[in-house]
Amino acid sequence: MALKSGITKHVAQLMSDISVSFTGKTMSHVKIVDAVPGKVKFEMMVKPSDGNIYGTMHGGLGASLVDLCTSVAILSKCHRWGISTDMQISYLKGAPVGKEIQIIANCDKGGKTLAFSSCFIYNENGDLLLKGQHTKFMKTPLVDLETSED
């Protein structure tokens, strides 16, 4: 898929900026596949260190992916980090260690103080493994990258 250069560059810079934190360690093997304002697609290979005792991706990592990937989707439309206020996650099927997963994160709506986002994680066959919703308090309103000045 062709990447939109401005948004992809912005998202890649954000990923670089967080590379030394917990966020960076969690996202270290998550690759950006495509990015448009408000929607970012990622891929990740589930490594043995990501697994639980059942040989599937640990649920805590799934929750972190929802948190972090939706945050990047929100950032693809604005220039500020937010603060999580609510997250809801449904685990539908396990992601086996050694398999690739696809993550689609969306900024569904941004208001004056809140941003609402969603995340869907799929296996290589397109089966939905996990779905999540994430709400963030935004200290400043969302700014659309396509209309803002850099």
Side-chain angles (χ1 to χ4, degrees):
M1 261 185 204
L3 300 177
K4 291 204 171 195
S5 62
I7 298 300
T8 303
K9 180 180 172 186
H10 179 69
V11 171
Q13 181 61 48
L14 293 168
M15 297 285 283
S16 175
D17 290 347
I18 61 174
S19 64
V20 296
S21 65
F22 164 78
T23 302
K25 291 176 185 171
T26 304
M27 298 290 280
S28 66
H29 56 288
V30 177
K31 295 177 261 175
I32 300 166
V33 176
D34 195 18
V36 296
K39 184 173 186 174
V40 183
K41 295 180 183 180
F42 305 88
E43 286 182 350
M44 184 188 103
M45 176 67 67
V46 180
K47 295 182 176 184
S49 60
D50 300 329
N52 57 28
I53 61 172
Y54 302 107
T56 60
M57 182 176 73
H58 192 281
L61 176 59
S64 291
L65 289 171
V66 169
D67 180 7
L68 301 172
C69 292
T70 56
S71 294
V72 172
I74 292 168
L75 283 165
S76 75
K77 287 190 75 162
C78 75
H79 297 280
R80 304 225 5 123
W81 288 101
I83 300 164
S84 297
T85 61
D86 183 57
M87 226 171 35
Q88 189 277 323
I89 300 164
S90 295
Y91 300 91
L92 306 171
K93 190 174 183 180
V97 168
K99 297 292 184 178
E100 188 90 15
I101 59 173
Q102 291 80 41
I103 305 159
I104 299 174
N106 305 292
C107 177
D108 300 320
K109 182 176 190 249
K112 289 184 180 180
T113 58
L114 294 175
F116 300 90
S117 59
S118 57
C119 184
F120 304 90
I121 300 179
Y122 299 92
N123 66 14
E124 295 169 321
N125 299 324
D127 299 326
L128 182 60
L129 308 177
L130 180 152
K131 61 182 179 177
Q133 294 179 313
H134 187 196
T135 306
K136 294 192 103 166
F137 170 74
M138 305 300 289
K139 196 167 186 176
T140 59
L142 292 177
V143 177
D144 191 328
L145 287 174
E146 291 184 340
T147 59
S148 67
E149 294 179 21
D150 287 312

